Amino acid sequence: MKKSTCARCGACLAACPVYSMTKHERFGPRGKNMLLDTALSAGTGAEKPSAAVTETLKACLQCGACSAACPAGVDVRGAIRRAREHNGHDCTVPSWVWEVLAARGLTPFLARIISGFPGGSGIIWRLTGLSGQEGFTMPDLAQTPALSSDRACTSGVPLAGKSAGLKISVFVGCVQNYLYPEVVEGMFKWFGGRISIPRGQICCGMPAFSSGDREKALKFALRNISVFREQAPDYILTGCATCASMIRNWAGLVADVPEAHSTAVELGEKVREFSRLAWELAVIPSPEDLADVERVTFHAPCHQRFELGGAEVTEDLLQKMLPGKFTDMTRECCGQGGLFSLGHPELSGRILQKRFRNCRRTGATVLLTTCSGCLLQLRAGAGSMEDGPQILHIAELVNK
Ligand code: SF4
Ligand code: SF4
């Protein structure tokens, strides 16, 4: 790693959700970047940062706000992730969970096991070590994960207009597969019956990638690339902005694997976050179809804001579908940040509460998003409030 060109201007501080809560230089992007630069100057390199540096680097959501705000083009988020890679990855998730997420054939088996646990017991979350923040309502695992269900493949109407004849393959992602298959169902209703879910797909690899486990992320990418190569889709549709970002990252991950690289580049160009593809192909429900929907606002996921782009497209879509019912809200992080919410539950919860305060100011009773991690975080938080908003993925509007 090279020393950065940071000018210490501080423009990144205001953008950083962790700094905005802690007001501590060490936890801001400038401080983290200085720590990395100092380690490099001292000759120890970011390969072996001290324990204090490691702890500081963990306090990062990998949201990307700092990199987007930096006038000198310093990619602080990338530097932090690379330092995590060099320093040994920081992963709160037990290794057997990764094996489940990576196993093609385990989904129906897992569903049967899950069905043996009483709903709401929380036992699965405790077993996996993912029990979440104090007082948060963690969801039950779906009895029928999206990847083992036929129901999502049978609803809807054939694609028409701009999308007629297109081949659209769905990347489901772990959260929508195991926790929220109703989002996948909503996407099928919305886009029609000719989109398909390729079997054999696994986790996109983002949790491993952002926590610094490049080897595992590479393994996941290679598996998925081979699955989607066989499909040769016109588009990959995903209901998760974070999965879409990771699919774009596959090309960089497999840069040294010639037989996978060109396909990964192609898949990265074809992937679309759900609302983006709905807008591009003009597959948009009419306001009359959504007459029962109450006042809504939209939480733009960080991976959409800083990697994919298109938060304003989603807002335009909602404005068109829900005239007079949609109010935009400030664009900020929800505090989920992949494994950040597990390692820093108190800080994550404070960032989330700020989000709910801003939501309340819009007067909306429904808070929409288009990312699985945000959905998990927002639902967990809202579920523990007496007057929390209803949290929905945009695709679920057509399920109402
Ligand atoms: S990636 Fe986000 S949380 Fe991490 S330092 Fe940058 S702005 Fe802060
Ligand atoms: S990382 Fe960029 S924005 Fe932050 S202090 Fe350095 S030059 Fe300024």
Side-chain angles (χ1 to χ4, degrees):
M1 286 175 71
K2 288 185 188 156
K3 266 187 78 173
S4 76
T5 54
C6 174
R8 314 278 188 254
C9 70
C12 52
L13 294 179
C16 176
V18 174
Y19 181 79
S20 79
M21 285 295 146
T22 61
K23 299 292 181 216
H24 198 309
E25 180 72 21
R26 184 163 81 97
F27 292 116
R30 182 173 63 183
K32 289 176 179 127
N33 199 57
M34 274 177 74
L35 281 171
L36 288 176
D37 280 350
T38 306
L40 285 165
S41 306
T44 55
E47 287 80 1
K48 280 289 161 210
S50 68
V53 172
T54 304
E55 275 312 303
T56 307
L57 296 181
K58 280 185 189 173
C60 171
L61 290 144
Q62 287 288 289
C63 67
C66 50
S67 305
C70 178
V74 179
D75 179 16
V76 183
R77 175 182 57 175
I80 293 169
R81 194 191 64 244
R82 286 189 294 277
R84 287 173 173 179
E85 283 172 16
H86 288 301
N87 192 35
H89 55 88
D90 158 38
C91 194
T92 326
V93 182
S95 58
W96 67 266
V97 176
W98 290 115
E99 296 311 319
V100 168
L101 297 181
R104 285 176 200 234
L106 267 184
T107 302
F109 170 71
L110 187 68
R112 278 203 301 279
I113 298 276
I114 290 165
S115 65
F117 289 106
S121 70
I123 190 167
I124 290 286
W125 296 105
R126 288 196 295 280
L127 279 173
T128 56
L130 303 174
S131 51
Q133 297 165 36
E134 190 67 29
F136 269 28
T137 310
M138 296 303 282
D140 291 337
L141 293 176
Q143 300 289 305
T144 314
L147 283 169
S148 62
S149 167
D150 288 334
R151 65 182 175 162
C153 303
T154 54
S155 55
V157 293
L159 293 168
K162 277 191 195 178
S163 52
L166 289 175
K167 183 168 183 182
I168 300 175
S169 297
V170 178
F171 184 87
V172 173
C174 303
V175 172
Q176 289 173 19
N177 181 34
Y178 289 112
L179 300 179
Y180 305 134
E182 61 274 17
V183 174
V184 181
E185 197 171 343
M187 291 201 295
F188 268 80
K189 276 191 189 150
W190 189 304
F191 271 92
R194 287 191 189 166
I195 62 175
S196 63
I197 301 179
R199 304 295 157 177
Q201 59 180 283
I202 57 173
C203 171
C204 68
M206 180 60 94
F209 182 64
S210 60
S211 64
D213 192 343
R214 195 176 178 87
E215 198 183 317
K216 203 158 274 139
L218 173 63
K219 185 176 153 192
F220 284 22
L222 288 171
R223 178 84 64 83
N224 284 316
I225 289 165
S226 79
V227 168
F228 281 88
R229 177 195 281 132
E230 280 173 31
Q231 299 293 315
D234 295 299
Y235 290 103
I236 298 178
L237 166 65
T238 176
C240 177
T242 300
C243 293
S245 298
M246 190 62 220
I247 291 170
R248 290 231 179 126
N249 276 314
W250 287 348
L253 263 180
V254 303
D256 296 331
V257 187
E259 63 276 19
H261 186 247
S262 61
T263 308
V265 171
E266 213 177 291
L267 296 177
E269 287 164 1
K270 289 179 173 177
V271 70
R272 295 288 187 284
E273 172 279 319
F274 168 78
S275 61
R276 178 82 192 210
L277 192 60
W279 183 260
E280 278 183 29
L281 299 182
V283 184
I284 303 173
S286 70
E288 294 73 38
D289 292 338
L290 302 172
D292 293 341
V293 176
E294 296 173 2
R295 287 184 68 182
V296 306
T297 189
F298 171 60
H299 167 75
C302 292
H303 283 100
Q304 183 186 40
R305 291 162 61 209
F306 302 119
E307 283 206 49
L308 300 173
E312 62 293 336
V313 170
T314 308
E315 289 167 353
D316 287 348
L317 175 79
L318 293 170
Q319 197 67 58
K320 186 166 180 152
M321 285 162 35
L322 298 162
K325 292 182 182 175
F326 168 66
T327 307
D328 60 0
M329 71 186 278
T330 53
R331 292 183 187 167
E332 290 168 316
C333 181
C334 67
Q336 206 272 340
L339 302 176
F340 175 89
S341 59
L342 303 173
H344 300 82
E346 190 271 336
L347 194 48
S348 171
R350 279 163 59 204
I351 295 169
L352 177 62
Q353 289 314 316
K354 186 176 174 205
R355 208 71 198 111
F356 283 133
R357 282 196 295 278
N358 287 330
C359 173
R360 211 168 286 129
R361 285 191 192 111
T362 68
T365 54
V366 181
L367 176 53
L368 299 168
T369 192
T370 181
C371 165
S372 298
C374 301
L375 202 57
L376 189 60
Q377 171 89 337
L378 294 167
R379 280 191 179 164
S384 64
M385 297 160 71
E386 274 181 18
D387 59 345
Q390 184 183 19
I391 311 295
L392 292 177
H393 188 283
I394 294 171
E396 290 181 278
L397 288 173
V398 294
N399 286 345
K400 281 175 92 71

